[in-house]
Amino acid sequence: MQKLHYSVLVAALVAVLLLPSCDGVFVPDPIDPRLPKYTEDGNNAAGAFIGDNVWTSIMESDFPDTTYHEPVIFLYPQNDSLRVIFDGISPIFQFIEFRFCIAPATQLRELVVLNNKVFAFNGTEASAFCRNSCDTCWNSTGNTGQIYFRKVVYDEANQYITMSGTFGFTYEDHLYGTIQVSKGRFDYKVREGGIIIIQ
């Protein structure tokens, strides 16, 4: 009986060690090591400058199912729009959010339409801003800049997309004045649990 318990314990430990990790990999940028290097490997990391402050997002997971700094994608099929929210850390802002129009999408695999796409921010068809909660969601103006989805591919076997790209933008925040985000880069693996469909 004791041997059976030992075998079950060993099998459980091996299973845990073989589970795919969601933890991010921070590869320092060779020019400015405060930011992660731009990669297309699904490193689950992002970074940018917000003004002079560094903002970074490095995913972390606690067993069994808690993940921190995971991106969230909201799909709105009825009005052909999309929200992408990156969760990170900086002295002022936690979230960087992007909103834009795309072809109707109702599942993760359809987001490959973003591959090699550039969205220019104008405050209407596409916009970007920083926030901590909803206090600055609807009160930003003068949005300029862009996001470039350099690589968005779907892994059929493991059912996730690798989403990598760059961004930069400027806008007027009703609390903080002119906000400039520069040298933004992201490289995430997004699974089905990372998207929310709003009908």
PDB file of all heavy atoms in Angstrom, residues 165-185:
ATOM      1  N   GLY A 165       4.543  42.104 -31.700  1.00  0.00           N
ATOM      2  CA  GLY A 165       4.513  43.345 -32.457  1.00  0.00           C
ATOM      3  C   GLY A 165       5.130  44.498 -31.698  1.00  0.00           C
ATOM      4  O   GLY A 165       5.763  44.322 -30.654  1.00  0.00           O
ATOM      5  N   THR A 166       4.924  45.683 -32.249  1.00  0.00           N
ATOM      6  CA  THR A 166       5.482  46.909 -31.682  1.00  0.00           C
ATOM      7  C   THR A 166       4.404  47.993 -31.649  1.00  0.00           C
ATOM      8  O   THR A 166       3.427  47.933 -32.397  1.00  0.00           O
ATOM      9  CB  THR A 166       6.685  47.394 -32.512  1.00  0.00           C
ATOM     10  OG1 THR A 166       6.287  47.531 -33.886  1.00  0.00           O
ATOM     11  CG2 THR A 166       7.852  46.399 -32.435  1.00  0.00           C
ATOM     12  N   PHE A 167       4.608  48.992 -30.788  1.00  0.00           N
ATOM     13  CA  PHE A 167       3.635  50.076 -30.696  1.00  0.00           C
ATOM     14  C   PHE A 167       4.286  51.325 -30.129  1.00  0.00           C
ATOM     15  O   PHE A 167       5.342  51.275 -29.486  1.00  0.00           O
ATOM     16  CB  PHE A 167       2.428  49.670 -29.830  1.00  0.00           C
ATOM     17  CG  PHE A 167       2.773  49.309 -28.406  1.00  0.00           C
ATOM     18  CD1 PHE A 167       2.817  50.283 -27.407  1.00  0.00           C
ATOM     19  CD2 PHE A 167       3.049  47.998 -28.046  1.00  0.00           C
ATOM     20  CE1 PHE A 167       3.129  49.957 -26.095  1.00  0.00           C
ATOM     21  CE2 PHE A 167       3.365  47.651 -26.733  1.00  0.00           C
ATOM     22  CZ  PHE A 167       3.393  48.636 -25.755  1.00  0.00           C
ATOM     23  N   GLY A 168       3.625  52.436 -30.379  1.00  0.00           N
ATOM     24  CA  GLY A 168       3.988  53.727 -29.812  1.00  0.00           C
ATOM     25  C   GLY A 168       2.844  54.688 -30.057  1.00  0.00           C
ATOM     26  O   GLY A 168       2.172  54.600 -31.083  1.00  0.00           O
ATOM     27  N   PHE A 169       2.582  55.587 -29.114  1.00  0.00           N
ATOM     28  CA  PHE A 169       1.468  56.512 -29.300  1.00  0.00           C
ATOM     29  C   PHE A 169       1.569  57.678 -28.320  1.00  0.00           C
ATOM     30  O   PHE A 169       2.309  57.630 -27.329  1.00  0.00           O
ATOM     31  CB  PHE A 169       0.115  55.806 -29.137  1.00  0.00           C
ATOM     32  CG  PHE A 169      -0.082  55.096 -27.822  1.00  0.00           C
ATOM     33  CD1 PHE A 169      -0.665  55.755 -26.741  1.00  0.00           C
ATOM     34  CD2 PHE A 169       0.287  53.766 -27.668  1.00  0.00           C
ATOM     35  CE1 PHE A 169      -0.859  55.105 -25.533  1.00  0.00           C
ATOM     36  CE2 PHE A 169       0.094  53.102 -26.456  1.00  0.00           C
ATOM     37  CZ  PHE A 169      -0.481  53.777 -25.393  1.00  0.00           C
ATOM     38  N   THR A 170       0.791  58.702 -28.622  1.00  0.00           N
ATOM     39  CA  THR A 170       0.689  59.894 -27.781  1.00  0.00           C
ATOM     40  C   THR A 170      -0.787  60.256 -27.649  1.00  0.00           C
ATOM     41  O   THR A 170      -1.565  60.083 -28.595  1.00  0.00           O
ATOM     42  CB  THR A 170       1.453  61.078 -28.407  1.00  0.00           C
ATOM     43  OG1 THR A 170       2.812  60.691 -28.584  1.00  0.00           O
ATOM     44  CG2 THR A 170       1.394  62.319 -27.536  1.00  0.00           C
ATOM     45  N   TYR A 171      -1.175  60.757 -26.497  1.00  0.00           N
ATOM     46  CA  TYR A 171      -2.542  61.235 -26.318  1.00  0.00           C
ATOM     47  C   TYR A 171      -2.580  62.213 -25.152  1.00  0.00           C
ATOM     48  O   TYR A 171      -1.622  62.324 -24.380  1.00  0.00           O
ATOM     49  CB  TYR A 171      -3.519  60.073 -26.083  1.00  0.00           C
ATOM     50  CG  TYR A 171      -3.367  59.386 -24.743  1.00  0.00           C
ATOM     51  CD1 TYR A 171      -4.202  59.694 -23.669  1.00  0.00           C
ATOM     52  CD2 TYR A 171      -2.378  58.419 -24.540  1.00  0.00           C
ATOM     53  CE1 TYR A 171      -4.058  59.070 -22.441  1.00  0.00           C
ATOM     54  CE2 TYR A 171      -2.234  57.786 -23.318  1.00  0.00           C
ATOM     55  CZ  TYR A 171      -3.074  58.122 -22.273  1.00  0.00           C
ATOM     56  OH  TYR A 171      -2.926  57.507 -21.056  1.00  0.00           O
ATOM     57  N   GLU A 172      -3.685  62.922 -25.029  1.00  0.00           N
ATOM     58  CA  GLU A 172      -3.908  63.854 -23.930  1.00  0.00           C
ATOM     59  C   GLU A 172      -4.798  63.183 -22.890  1.00  0.00           C
ATOM     60  O   GLU A 172      -5.931  62.814 -23.179  1.00  0.00           O
ATOM     61  CB  GLU A 172      -4.573  65.141 -24.430  1.00  0.00           C
ATOM     62  CG  GLU A 172      -3.708  65.949 -25.382  1.00  0.00           C
ATOM     63  CD  GLU A 172      -2.421  66.446 -24.736  1.00  0.00           C
ATOM     64  OE1 GLU A 172      -2.460  66.822 -23.535  1.00  0.00           O
ATOM     65  OE2 GLU A 172      -1.385  66.435 -25.415  1.00  0.00           O
ATOM     66  N   ASP A 173      -4.262  63.016 -21.696  1.00  0.00           N
ATOM     67  CA  ASP A 173      -5.000  62.389 -20.611  1.00  0.00           C
ATOM     68  C   ASP A 173      -5.609  63.485 -19.731  1.00  0.00           C
ATOM     69  O   ASP A 173      -4.949  64.477 -19.415  1.00  0.00           O
ATOM     70  CB  ASP A 173      -4.045  61.523 -19.784  1.00  0.00           C
ATOM     71  CG  ASP A 173      -4.768  60.733 -18.713  1.00  0.00           C
ATOM     72  OD1 ASP A 173      -5.030  61.288 -17.626  1.00  0.00           O
ATOM     73  OD2 ASP A 173      -5.064  59.560 -18.961  1.00  0.00           O
ATOM     74  N   HIS A 174      -6.880  63.286 -19.310  1.00  0.00           N
ATOM     75  CA  HIS A 174      -7.555  64.340 -18.551  1.00  0.00           C
ATOM     76  C   HIS A 174      -6.953  64.538 -17.155  1.00  0.00           C
ATOM     77  O   HIS A 174      -7.154  65.577 -16.543  1.00  0.00           O
ATOM     78  CB  HIS A 174      -9.056  64.053 -18.467  1.00  0.00           C
ATOM     79  CG  HIS A 174      -9.437  63.018 -17.450  1.00  0.00           C
ATOM     80  ND1 HIS A 174      -9.062  61.691 -17.557  1.00  0.00           N
ATOM     81  CD2 HIS A 174     -10.151  63.118 -16.309  1.00  0.00           C
ATOM     82  CE1 HIS A 174      -9.535  61.027 -16.523  1.00  0.00           C
ATOM     83  NE2 HIS A 174     -10.201  61.857 -15.745  1.00  0.00           N
ATOM     84  N   LEU A 175      -6.192  63.558 -16.644  1.00  0.00           N
ATOM     85  CA  LEU A 175      -5.560  63.701 -15.337  1.00  0.00           C
ATOM     86  C   LEU A 175      -4.077  64.050 -15.419  1.00  0.00           C
ATOM     87  O   LEU A 175      -3.575  64.857 -14.640  1.00  0.00           O
ATOM     88  CB  LEU A 175      -5.703  62.398 -14.528  1.00  0.00           C
ATOM     89  CG  LEU A 175      -7.084  62.023 -14.014  1.00  0.00           C
ATOM     90  CD1 LEU A 175      -7.025  60.681 -13.296  1.00  0.00           C
ATOM     91  CD2 LEU A 175      -7.623  63.102 -13.073  1.00  0.00           C
ATOM     92  N   TYR A 176      -3.365  63.451 -16.380  1.00  0.00           N
ATOM     93  CA  TYR A 176      -1.908  63.531 -16.392  1.00  0.00           C
ATOM     94  C   TYR A 176      -1.336  64.379 -17.525  1.00  0.00           C
ATOM     95  O   TYR A 176      -0.120  64.516 -17.625  1.00  0.00           O
ATOM     96  CB  TYR A 176      -1.316  62.122 -16.477  1.00  0.00           C
ATOM     97  CG  TYR A 176      -1.692  61.248 -15.309  1.00  0.00           C
ATOM     98  CD1 TYR A 176      -2.713  60.307 -15.421  1.00  0.00           C
ATOM     99  CD2 TYR A 176      -1.040  61.369 -14.084  1.00  0.00           C
ATOM    100  CE1 TYR A 176      -3.062  59.503 -14.350  1.00  0.00           C
ATOM    101  CE2 TYR A 176      -1.386  60.575 -13.006  1.00  0.00           C
ATOM    102  CZ  TYR A 176      -2.400  59.646 -13.146  1.00  0.00           C
ATOM    103  OH  TYR A 176      -2.756  58.856 -12.083  1.00  0.00           O
ATOM    104  N   GLY A 177      -2.196  64.921 -18.368  1.00  0.00           N
ATOM    105  CA  GLY A 177      -1.700  65.743 -19.473  1.00  0.00           C
ATOM    106  C   GLY A 177      -1.230  64.888 -20.640  1.00  0.00           C
ATOM    107  O   GLY A 177      -1.775  63.819 -20.904  1.00  0.00           O
ATOM    108  N   THR A 178      -0.206  65.345 -21.344  1.00  0.00           N
ATOM    109  CA  THR A 178       0.295  64.630 -22.512  1.00  0.00           C
ATOM    110  C   THR A 178       1.026  63.357 -22.083  1.00  0.00           C
ATOM    111  O   THR A 178       1.962  63.413 -21.289  1.00  0.00           O
ATOM    112  CB  THR A 178       1.248  65.502 -23.336  1.00  0.00           C
ATOM    113  OG1 THR A 178       0.557  66.696 -23.744  1.00  0.00           O
ATOM    114  CG2 THR A 178       1.736  64.757 -24.577  1.00  0.00           C
ATOM    115  N   ILE A 179       0.580  62.229 -22.612  1.00  0.00           N
ATOM    116  CA  ILE A 179       1.207  60.934 -22.332  1.00  0.00           C
ATOM    117  C   ILE A 179       1.847  60.439 -23.624  1.00  0.00           C
ATOM    118  O   ILE A 179       1.177  60.337 -24.653  1.00  0.00           O
ATOM    119  CB  ILE A 179       0.180  59.894 -21.833  1.00  0.00           C
ATOM    120  CG1 ILE A 179      -0.511  60.380 -20.567  1.00  0.00           C
ATOM    121  CG2 ILE A 179       0.852  58.544 -21.619  1.00  0.00           C
ATOM    122  CD1 ILE A 179       0.388  60.553 -19.373  1.00  0.00           C
ATOM    123  N   GLN A 180       3.124  60.127 -23.554  1.00  0.00           N
ATOM    124  CA  GLN A 180       3.827  59.585 -24.709  1.00  0.00           C
ATOM    125  C   GLN A 180       4.341  58.195 -24.374  1.00  0.00           C
ATOM    126  O   GLN A 180       5.085  58.005 -23.403  1.00  0.00           O
ATOM    127  CB  GLN A 180       4.991  60.476 -25.126  1.00  0.00           C
ATOM    128  CG  GLN A 180       5.713  59.969 -26.365  1.00  0.00           C
ATOM    129  CD  GLN A 180       6.766  60.940 -26.872  1.00  0.00           C
ATOM    130  OE1 GLN A 180       7.112  61.900 -26.191  1.00  0.00           O
ATOM    131  NE2 GLN A 180       7.269  60.686 -28.066  1.00  0.00           N
ATOM    132  N   VAL A 181       3.940  57.222 -25.179  1.00  0.00           N
ATOM    133  CA  VAL A 181       4.379  55.833 -25.023  1.00  0.00           C
ATOM    134  C   VAL A 181       5.291  55.511 -26.202  1.00  0.00           C
ATOM    135  O   VAL A 181       4.902  55.693 -27.356  1.00  0.00           O
ATOM    136  CB  VAL A 181       3.178  54.869 -24.978  1.00  0.00           C
ATOM    137  CG1 VAL A 181       3.642  53.424 -24.889  1.00  0.00           C
ATOM    138  CG2 VAL A 181       2.264  55.220 -23.812  1.00  0.00           C
ATOM    139  N   SER A 182       6.499  55.052 -25.912  1.00  0.00           N
ATOM    140  CA  SER A 182       7.468  54.819 -26.981  1.00  0.00           C
ATOM    141  C   SER A 182       8.182  53.485 -26.806  1.00  0.00           C
ATOM    142  O   SER A 182       8.196  52.914 -25.721  1.00  0.00           O
ATOM    143  CB  SER A 182       8.494  55.951 -27.025  1.00  0.00           C
ATOM    144  OG  SER A 182       9.203  56.026 -25.792  1.00  0.00           O
ATOM    145  N   LYS A 183       8.739  53.002 -27.898  1.00  0.00           N
ATOM    146  CA  LYS A 183       9.536  51.761 -27.940  1.00  0.00           C
ATOM    147  C   LYS A 183       8.771  50.559 -27.398  1.00  0.00           C
ATOM    148  O   LYS A 183       9.347  49.653 -26.796  1.00  0.00           O
ATOM    149  CB  LYS A 183      10.860  51.935 -27.207  1.00  0.00           C
ATOM    150  CG  LYS A 183      11.735  53.004 -27.835  1.00  0.00           C
ATOM    151  CD  LYS A 183      13.097  53.056 -27.215  1.00  0.00           C
ATOM    152  CE  LYS A 183      13.937  54.135 -27.913  1.00  0.00           C
ATOM    153  NZ  LYS A 183      15.281  54.260 -27.340  1.00  0.00           N
ATOM    154  N   GLY A 184       7.449  50.534 -27.620  1.00  0.00           N
ATOM    155  CA  GLY A 184       6.640  49.420 -27.147  1.00  0.00           C
ATOM    156  C   GLY A 184       6.875  48.166 -27.961  1.00  0.00           C
ATOM    157  O   GLY A 184       7.023  48.226 -29.184  1.00  0.00           O
ATOM    158  N   ARG A 185       6.909  47.049 -27.264  1.00  0.00           N
ATOM    159  CA  ARG A 185       7.029  45.750 -27.923  1.00  0.00           C
ATOM    160  C   ARG A 185       6.308  44.698 -27.078  1.00  0.00           C
ATOM    161  O   ARG A 185       6.226  44.829 -25.856  1.00  0.00           O
ATOM    162  CB  ARG A 185       8.488  45.367 -28.140  1.00  0.00           C
ATOM    163  CG  ARG A 185       9.353  45.042 -26.922  1.00  0.00           C
ATOM    164  CD  ARG A 185       9.820  46.245 -26.110  1.00  0.00           C
ATOM    165  NE  ARG A 185      10.450  47.276 -26.913  1.00  0.00           N
ATOM    166  CZ  ARG A 185      11.765  47.318 -27.177  1.00  0.00           C
ATOM    167  NH1 ARG A 185      12.570  46.400 -26.673  1.00  0.00           N
ATOM    168  NH2 ARG A 185      12.258  48.301 -27.888  1.00  0.00           N
TER     169      ARG A 185
END
